[in-house]
């Protein structure tokens, strides 16, 4: 028996049970977990986390949760520094009474950055109520590029139930836009990118808005969550434009160029130290298109219109408040300025020279004066000429920019020279009786014809006729669906002939009056010599 077998026997072991020499160091190999086991383990862990988080939210004080959340974020940032910066722009500011202008500008700006990859969108009826406007929905991300840098925008919200509130009513959700960018672009964001977003967003919002026509009235003084206003408004949908205005083409083009130059002169007005505004005086007989001209100006420039009724304004203080509430890109209109109380005086009743009953005329004048006196007693204070002048070009006129102030009148000679001087009414536009060139515009508008064999006859008649564009348009308008254009032209010719005959009769009467006035001194001299 050899030494090895002897030692094995002494130890009471057999060689066959330790053939590989590793009997005391056996290796146990564990099999990999199955998918079912992994899912069970993960589900158990998630359930534990969710249960723990529910307990924390229910029983842990709000301040403590905020404290833990803040320091947990700081700890994570310490372990793994985050290279990105986030900026939040909330929808409401202050006490939630005012919607943030920055939020609205960002919303308009991002509506133009929608890509085909965006899957969560929201559709709302636009301001013009004719189509939908698309924008990103909550938690959708938009990528924007600016000067070779990338920025990520997300619409998020803070749930009202997650905020601490002592109110009995549930807090509404608080929406905000979150801007995310790399920290190396911080200077770019603060110096130019945010300004770029605000500028572009405001321009987009203005171009998309439904323009309105305002008038000074009671407004929405008692509406909750809105600031009281002295203006009430309707949508402005007047179809007039300079292509359809009946006036001399050269004069029309001059007005258009003046308006477009004003709209693009913001830097020029700032450089010369003048408020960005311009005054227009429209004067001429009734029916010459003064109101239509204002509508065409608003449509050309895409401006709102504020129709200011001075007789409804209590005093100069209220007039200033009305001015402050007007917005930029607007036209402030005062029609028939010569009729405004305490400015140019009431229009006096002209006595009819041919009337024999003078007592009735005097009695009528007396009644009107008494009525005006009662009105003055009811309204103790009125707008003065000084207050209106300050409204036009005083210190308060610089509250806002890009505004036109338009006066209309039928009697320009009645206006105070200080009211219509340069600097207040910068451009005077006379809208007079219809000319042949204006007639051709109206025939194109109403009859869709540019030439006709009757045009020559109309051209001869319209030269000396005092007919307004409104009267010409009424004659050209078809009176039935089957009426031909020639019938409308002949109706206009008859009206022009009647006006010509009336003018000849009036001219004859004037000559007779002149002859009588020449004869009357002679008769007086004869009577004096007889005496």
């Amino acid at each position: 028996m050899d030494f090895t077998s002897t030692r094995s026997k002494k130890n009471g072991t057999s060689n066959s049970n330790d053939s590989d020499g590793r009997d005391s160091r056996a290796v146990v190999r564990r099999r990999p977990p199955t998918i079912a086991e992994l899912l069970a383990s993960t589900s158990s862990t998630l359930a534990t986390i969710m249960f723990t988080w529910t307990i924390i939210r229910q029983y842990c004080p709000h301040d403590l949760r905020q404290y833990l959340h803040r320091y947990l974020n700081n700890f994570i940032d310490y372990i793994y520094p985050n290279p990105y910066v986030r900026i939040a722009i909330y929808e409401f500011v202050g006490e939630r009474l005012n919607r943030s202008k920055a939020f609205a500008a960002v919303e308009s700006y991002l509506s133009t950055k929608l890509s085909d990859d965006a899957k969560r969108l929201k559709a709302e009826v636009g301001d013009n109520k004719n189509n939908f406007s698309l924008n990103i929905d909550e938690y959708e991300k938009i990528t924007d590029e600016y000067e070779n840098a990338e920025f990520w925008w997300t619409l998020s919200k803070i749930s009202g139930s997650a905020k601490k509130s002592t109110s009995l009513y549930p807090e509404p959700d608080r929406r905000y836009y979150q801007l995310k960018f790399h920290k190396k672009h911080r200077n770019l964001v603060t110096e130019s990118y945010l300004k770029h977003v605000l500028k572009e967003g405001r321009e987009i919002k203005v171009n998309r808005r439904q323009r309105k026509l305002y008038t000074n009235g009671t407004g929405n003084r008692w509406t909750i969550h809105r600031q009281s206003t002295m203006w009430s408004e309707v949508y402005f949908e007047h179809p007039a434009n300079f292509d359809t205005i009946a006036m001399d083409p050269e004069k029309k083009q001059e007005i258009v160029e003046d308006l477009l130059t004003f709209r693009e002169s913001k830097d020029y007005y700032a450089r010369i130290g003048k408020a960005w505004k311009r005054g227009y005086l429209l004067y001429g007989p009734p029916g010459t298109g003064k109101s239509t001209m204002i509508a065409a100006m608003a449509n050309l420039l895409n401006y709102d219109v504020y129709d200011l009724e001075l007789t409804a304004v209590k005093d100069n203080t209220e007039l200033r408040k009305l001015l402050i509430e007007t917005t930029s890109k607007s036209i402030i209109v005062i029609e028939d300025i010569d009729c405004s109380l305490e400015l140019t005086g009431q229009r006096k009743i002209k006595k009819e020279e041919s009337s024999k009953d003078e007592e009735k005329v005097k009695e009528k004048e007396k009644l009107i004066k008494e009525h005006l006196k009662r009105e003055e007693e009811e309204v103790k204070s009125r707008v003065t000429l000084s207050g209106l002048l300050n409204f036009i070009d005083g210190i308060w006129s610089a509250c806002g920019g890009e505004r036109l102030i338009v006066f209309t009148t039928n009697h320009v000679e009645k206006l105070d020279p200080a009211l219509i001087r340069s600097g207040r009414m910068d451009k005077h536009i006379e809208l007079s009786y219809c000319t042949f060139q204006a007639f051709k515009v109206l025939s194109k508008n109403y009859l869709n014809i540019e030439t006709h064999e009757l045009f020559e006859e109309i051209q001869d008649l319209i030269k000396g006729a005092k007919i307004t564009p409104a009267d010409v348009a009424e004659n050209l308008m078809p009176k039935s669906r089957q009426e031909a254009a020639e019938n409308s032209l002949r109706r206009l010719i008859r009206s022009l002939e009647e006006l010509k005959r009336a003018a000849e009769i009036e001219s004859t009467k004037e000559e007779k009056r002149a002859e009588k006035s020449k004869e009357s001194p002679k008769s007086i001299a004869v009577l004096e010599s007889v005496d």
Side-chain angles (χ1 to χ4, degrees):
M1 182 181 293
D2 58 3
F3 178 76
T4 303
S5 59
T6 305
R7 188 179 61 180
S8 298
K9 289 180 179 180
K10 289 182 179 179
N11 294 334
T13 60
S14 173
N15 224 11
S16 60
N17 296 332
D18 194 18
S19 59
D20 57 356
R22 292 180 297 174
D23 58 311
S24 62
R25 300 189 305 275
V27 178
V28 180
R29 294 186 178 180
R30 300 179 60 185
R31 61 180 178 83
T34 62
I35 295 178
E37 293 174 343
L38 285 175
L39 290 176
S41 177
T42 304
S43 300
S44 177
T45 304
L46 290 176
T48 303
I49 294 174
M50 292 177 65
F51 177 77
T52 305
W53 177 244
T54 303
I55 295 299
I56 291 175
R57 289 190 61 183
Q58 186 171 359
Y59 295 103
C60 185
H62 176 79
D63 295 338
L64 180 59
R65 292 203 310 270
Q66 293 291 101
Y67 178 85
L68 294 175
H69 185 266
R70 182 170 63 253
Y71 279 92
L72 180 61
N73 289 336
N74 294 338
F75 177 73
I76 294 174
D77 289 338
Y78 178 78
I79 297 176
Y80 179 72
N82 190 351
Y84 294 98
V85 180
R86 292 174 174 82
I87 297 177
I89 301 176
Y90 289 92
E91 183 175 10
F92 292 95
V93 295
E95 297 297 328
R96 293 182 58 87
L97 296 178
N98 296 323
R99 194 168 188 260
S100 170
K101 295 181 180 179
F103 184 93
V106 171
E107 188 174 44
S108 300
Y109 176 79
L110 295 181
S111 64
T112 63
K113 301 296 180 179
L114 298 177
S115 63
D116 297 335
D117 297 333
K119 296 180 175 59
R120 294 174 60 88
L121 302 176
K122 62 179 180 180
E124 297 178 349
V125 178
D127 290 336
N128 57 12
K129 296 187 176 181
N130 292 326
N131 52 20
F132 284 97
S133 61
L134 296 178
N135 214 322
I136 61 173
D137 200 1
E138 295 173 357
Y139 307 112
E140 181 67 26
K141 181 181 291 186
I142 285 184
T143 302
D144 186 26
E145 293 185 2
Y146 177 77
E147 294 187 2
N148 299 323
E150 283 192 349
F151 303 93
W152 298 274
W153 289 93
T154 307
L155 178 60
S156 303
K157 70 176 181 179
I158 298 176
S159 178
S161 59
K163 296 188 297 181
K164 183 179 180 180
S165 176
T166 58
S167 175
L168 297 176
Y169 299 97
E171 282 285 337
D173 296 339
R174 191 177 183 188
R175 299 194 307 164
Y176 63 95
Y177 280 106
Q178 180 176 265
L179 171 62
K180 178 182 176 183
F181 56 92
H182 198 278
K183 61 182 180 181
K184 65 181 180 181
H185 301 312
R186 180 189 289 268
N187 292 334
L188 176 64
V189 171
T190 57
E191 293 176 3
S192 63
Y193 179 66
L194 288 179
K195 296 178 181 178
H196 164 75
V197 172
L198 289 177
K199 180 181 177 182
E200 293 292 326
R202 287 169 179 168
E203 291 180 356
I204 293 170
K205 187 174 179 62
V206 168
N207 294 331
R208 288 181 177 179
R209 82 191 192 284
Q210 174 67 42
R211 290 179 296 114
K212 294 182 179 180
L213 172 63
Y214 296 85
T215 184
N216 50 310
T218 56
N220 299 314
R221 296 180 183 272
W222 307 107
T223 304
I224 301 176
H225 298 309
R226 289 186 61 179
Q227 291 183 338
S228 61
T229 176
M230 303 179 70
W231 297 97
S232 43
E233 75 276 356
V234 294
Y235 287 114
F236 182 76
E237 298 176 340
H238 200 292
N241 57 69
F242 277 94
D243 293 334
T244 59
I245 288 183
M247 65 183 305
D248 183 74
E250 294 182 0
K251 188 175 181 179
K252 187 191 303 185
Q253 185 61 31
E254 178 186 347
I255 297 172
V256 171
E257 289 296 329
D258 189 83
L259 291 169
L260 295 178
T261 301
F262 167 78
R263 186 178 64 180
E264 300 169 1
S265 301
K266 179 180 180 180
D267 296 335
Y268 175 77
Y269 277 83
R271 182 171 62 83
I272 64 177
K274 187 177 179 181
W276 190 14
K277 66 176 183 60
R278 188 165 176 80
Y280 288 82
L281 175 65
L282 308 181
Y283 65 96
T288 52
K290 295 183 286 294
S291 299
T292 305
M293 172 66 72
I294 295 171
M297 295 166 67
N299 288 330
L300 175 69
L301 301 176
N302 197 25
Y303 283 5
D304 294 322
V305 178
Y306 288 85
D307 185 13
L308 178 60
E309 179 58 52
L310 281 179
T311 57
V313 181
K314 182 180 178 181
D315 51 23
N316 294 336
T317 302
E318 186 171 312
L319 183 63
R320 285 194 294 269
K321 291 179 180 179
L322 286 166
L323 176 64
I324 293 173
E325 290 187 5
T326 60
T327 61
S328 299
K329 296 183 180 295
S330 61
I331 301 177
I332 302 174
V333 181
I334 303 179
E335 293 196 276
D336 295 325
I337 184 67
D338 55 299
C339 296
S340 299
L341 294 174
E342 301 298 333
L343 297 176
T344 56
Q346 295 288 332
R347 291 182 181 177
K348 297 180 180 179
I349 299 176
K350 296 182 178 179
K351 296 182 181 179
E352 299 179 2
E353 297 180 358
S354 59
S355 177
K356 297 180 180 180
D357 194 358
E358 295 182 358
E359 293 182 358
K360 291 184 178 180
V361 176
K362 292 181 179 180
E363 184 178 353
K364 188 176 181 180
E365 289 181 355
K366 184 178 180 181
L367 292 174
I368 292 177
K369 289 180 180 179
E370 291 178 356
H371 178 69
L372 294 177
K373 187 176 181 180
R374 286 196 301 269
E375 284 188 348
E376 291 176 357
E377 290 176 355
E378 291 176 0
V379 183
K380 296 181 179 180
S381 57
R382 291 288 190 182
V383 176
T384 63
L385 178 61
S386 175
L388 183 60
L389 296 181
N390 290 330
F391 174 86
I392 298 171
D393 67 344
I395 297 177
W396 290 94
S397 66
C399 300
E402 196 172 0
R403 288 187 295 201
L404 299 181
I405 300 176
V406 180
F407 289 170
T408 69
T409 180
N410 297 331
H411 305 277
V412 67
E413 68 279 358
K414 291 186 176 182
L415 299 181
D416 192 296
L419 189 63
I420 59 177
R421 69 164 176 82
S422 298
R424 290 182 176 132
M425 293 293 105
D426 303 286
K427 189 171 183 62
H428 296 191
I429 302 174
E430 181 181 7
L431 300 174
S432 188
Y433 295 105
C434 189
T435 62
F436 181 68
Q437 293 295 331
F439 157 75
K440 292 177 67 176
V441 175
L442 292 173
S443 65
K444 174 65 176 176
N445 295 340
Y446 286 83
L447 304 177
N448 199 24
I449 58 174
E450 297 182 1
T451 58
H452 196 275
E453 58 183 8
L454 296 176
F455 275 19
E456 185 175 351
E457 184 178 357
I458 293 174
Q459 184 176 8
D460 294 336
L461 290 171
I462 208 171
K463 286 181 180 178
K466 293 184 177 181
I467 185 170
T468 63
D471 293 331
V472 174
E474 180 59 28
N475 283 282
L476 294 180
M477 184 174 292
K479 305 305 178 184
S480 66
R481 291 175 292 178
Q482 293 80 21
E483 187 176 33
E486 184 176 349
N487 295 338
S488 299
L489 294 175
R490 292 194 180 279
R491 184 166 53 248
L492 175 61
I493 291 174
R494 289 194 295 269
S495 297
L496 292 172
E497 289 174 347
E498 292 176 2
L499 287 174
K500 185 176 181 180
R501 287 193 296 269
E504 291 175 352
I505 294 173
E506 185 64 26
S507 177
T508 303
K509 290 181 178 180
E510 288 292 335
E511 291 177 358
K512 291 181 178 180
R513 293 193 192 101
E515 290 177 359
K516 289 181 179 180
S517 63
K518 292 179 180 179
E519 293 176 356
S520 57
K522 293 182 180 179
S523 60
I524 293 173
V526 171
L527 292 174
E528 289 178 352
S529 63
V530 172
D531 293 337

